[in-house]
Amino acid sequence: MVTISINNETRQFPQPVHLEELLRDYRERNPELAFAVAVNGEFVPRTQYPQVQLQDGDTLDIVNPVGGG
């Protein structure tokens, strides 16, 4: 079992999961939202999502950019 913290919420998966696969569901539920992703505190460029495999104990932060001045 692989345990991953997503925005401070613990989720379990039967095996390691690729970031792109995990975000597919997020995009379907939030098609209008722009977001950025950090894995274990490190920003992940969108072009690298398919290559990132999440492991047991990883922390994933999905954030929505906020405009301001």
Side-chain angles (χ1 to χ4, degrees):
M1 193 63 69
V2 176
T3 302
I4 299 171
S5 174
I6 304 172
N7 291 346
N8 295 319
E9 196 173 301
T10 302
R11 290 195 42 199
Q12 292 189 325
F13 301 89
Q15 60 193 24
V17 60
H18 280 90
L19 180 59
E20 179 71 24
E21 184 180 335
L22 189 142
L23 292 174
R24 193 173 301 130
D25 179 54
Y26 185 82
R27 278 193 201 109
E28 287 175 4
R29 290 180 298 149
N30 305 283
E32 303 297 317
L33 292 179
F35 59 88
V37 176
V39 176
N40 300 324
E42 296 290 323
F43 170 75
V44 179
R46 190 174 301 261
T47 57
Q48 292 182 12
Y49 289 178
Q51 290 84 31
V52 176
Q53 185 170 20
L54 300 169
Q55 302 293 325
D56 188 47
D58 280 348
T59 299
L60 178 66
D61 294 302
I62 303 172
V63 296
N64 300 79
V66 178

